[in-house]
Amino acid sequence: MNILAIESSCDETAAAVVRDGRQILSNVVLSQADLHALYGGVVPEIASRRHVEAVVPLADTALRESGIGKKEIDGVAVTFAPGLIGALLVGLNFAKAVSFGLGVPLIPVHHVRGHIAANYLCFPELEPPFLCLAVSGGNTLLVDVEGYTAMRVLGRTKDDAAGECFDKAARVLGLGYPGGPKMEALAKGGDPAAYRLPRANISGHPLDMSFSGLKTAVVNLVHNAEQKQEALDKKGLAASFEQAVSDVLVSRTMEAARVTGRSAIVAAGGVAANGQIRAALSKAVHEAGKTLYLPPLRFCGDNAAMIGAQGYYEFLAGRTAGMELNAYASMDIELKGR
Ligand code: KG4
């Protein structure tokens, strides 16, 4: 089954053609990061407008590069939630038009399910069940992936997502957008013990996380240093911050692995591109005698191939939609209420 997939939930317009959920025939991504960098973060209105300009040529490119014709497309998968509502609507309406025009099923895909499915494209042997740490700009979740479309949330952030925290900390340090990779670059060679930063525990919820206190601690440190005109060890602060995020993510993941007994652990989402987090997770998983699946960096960030991969399994589970399908700014990965 050949699926044309469209992703437009934030600041990347992406299109791909994926065969049987596992084989990428084409995968094109157009990042808008430069446009938003001017403003220090994603401007939703600009994102939507850019998606409108980009989605048709990008889908054409994906089709051309796939080497197959329109008639060989058997379904259209699209990110319908969660994300920036205006941005989502552009991809969704385009996908509806293509599905209607070609007379093929429309397959709604949850964005974070897509991030998890990026691993199916990278690791042919990977099948559920497994435990997944899904960490992106808007989500931080520990998910028990019981089946391709059966997900159970074991733990989540109670406030900011880890990626959001990276972006805010980078901003206050004057690094600009997108902050994650810039924080990682600054942290290189810095002392991870330079600053004592909080690692929050949530009483009674050992698998949940909280990053807002960490974010505030960094903001306060920077502002205090500015007010007192004291020198700040920026490299040390970035390294201490990265260490704190890593400690929380890795400890929760290993606790979830212990509780569930899952032997396969998967990482997904933009923050999974972070070298310190990858190294710490690899070490912990190895020590626990379990297997870690870490997608290559280009499959951590947003792309449409991951939507095509998950779309295939959503289709097999009978989850297609009609033209009444709407986009949703927020939606649980368990798709409760749908
Ligand atoms: O998965 P993603 O590309 O988009 C969402 O679905 O949200 O994740 C984007 C997030 C941003 O917050 C970005 O700063 C963060 O992932 N990120 C990183 C790194 N690369 C991207 N965070 C830490 N270290 C990185 N190397």
Side-chain angles (χ1 to χ4, degrees):
M1 178 181 194
N2 296 320
I3 292 184
L4 171 69
I6 305 293
E7 154 66 39
S8 69
S9 65
C10 190
D11 63 344
E12 263 105 16
T13 323
V17 178
V18 176
R19 180 169 290 163
D20 296 336
R22 296 277 179 164
Q23 188 192 351
I24 300 175
L25 302 190
S26 64
N27 188 22
V28 287
V29 181
L30 183 74
S31 172
Q32 311 173 354
D34 288 354
L35 279 179
H36 300 288
L38 287 171
Y39 305 94
V42 178
V43 182
E45 180 64 20
I46 293 176
S48 309
R49 285 167 190 263
R50 189 70 188 112
H51 287 311
V52 170
E53 291 165 358
V55 70
V56 175
L58 220 62
D60 271 344
T61 306
L63 258 181
R64 200 174 52 248
E65 291 186 359
S66 73
I68 64 168
K70 281 183 192 153
K71 291 213 169 77
E72 293 163 272
I73 294 293
D74 305 302
V76 183
V78 62
T79 306
F80 79 112
L84 300 172
I85 194 70
L88 285 167
L89 281 167
V90 176
L92 179 59
N93 283 305
F94 175 75
K96 279 185 189 178
V98 177
S99 139
F100 184 74
L102 297 180
V104 297
L106 175 67
I107 311 163
V109 176
H110 186 284
H111 181 72
V112 185
R113 287 184 174 216
H115 272 302
I116 296 173
N119 285 279
Y120 303 139
L121 300 166
C122 310
F123 306 107
E125 74 283 13
L126 179 66
E127 287 178 6
F130 54 80
L131 175 71
C132 182
L133 170 67
V135 263
S136 65
N139 298 273
T140 301
L141 297 172
L142 272 165
V143 187
D144 193 21
V145 182
E146 297 166 333
Y148 286 105
T149 57
M151 323 245 160
R152 194 162 56 90
V153 176
L154 303 169
R156 66 172 81 235
T157 178
K158 290 290 183 194
D159 38 58
D160 297 345
E164 193 180 341
C165 194
F166 261 101
D167 292 336
K168 296 273 165 58
R171 194 174 185 161
V172 75
L173 280 166
L175 301 180
Y177 174 85
K182 293 186 173 169
M183 280 295 273
E184 178 170 7
L186 181 64
K188 289 236 157 59
D191 175 8
Y195 292 90
R196 275 181 55 147
L197 295 174
R199 283 105 168 119
N201 289 313
I202 304 195
S203 167
H205 299 274
L207 299 180
D208 282 338
M209 297 158 259
S210 161
F211 293 102
S212 69
L214 174 61
K215 178 183 73 183
T216 307
V218 173
V219 171
N220 288 345
L221 267 165
V222 174
H223 287 168
N224 278 338
E226 278 168 6
Q227 276 161 10
K228 293 182 189 159
Q229 296 188 328
E230 284 172 3
L232 194 69
D233 171 10
K234 284 194 174 185
K235 283 186 95 54
L237 184 53
S240 305
F241 170 83
E242 208 177 47
Q243 184 69 52
V245 176
S246 169
D247 286 352
V248 171
L249 293 177
V250 174
S251 64
R252 297 303 192 282
T253 305
M254 298 320 294
E255 179 58 9
R258 192 189 65 76
V259 171
T260 56
R262 294 281 185 234
S263 57
I265 296 165
V266 168
V271 182
N274 182 277
Q276 151 69 29
I277 294 168
R278 291 170 83 89
L281 202 54
S282 300
K283 183 167 178 286
V285 171
H286 181 74
E287 280 170 9
K290 296 181 187 273
T291 309
L292 180 64
Y293 295 89
L294 271 178
L297 299 199
R298 73 188 183 98
F299 284 102
C300 292
D302 288 349
N303 63 85
M306 67 185 200
I307 302 302
Q310 184 61 23
Y312 175 69
Y313 294 104
E314 299 289 343
F315 175 81
L316 293 184
R319 294 178 193 262
T320 56
M323 291 297 129
E324 71 289 350
L325 177 66
N326 206 350
Y328 299 89
S330 59
M331 177 164 295
D332 207 278
I333 195 171
E334 293 167 352
L335 307 183
K336 281 189 190 129
R338 267 193 65 80

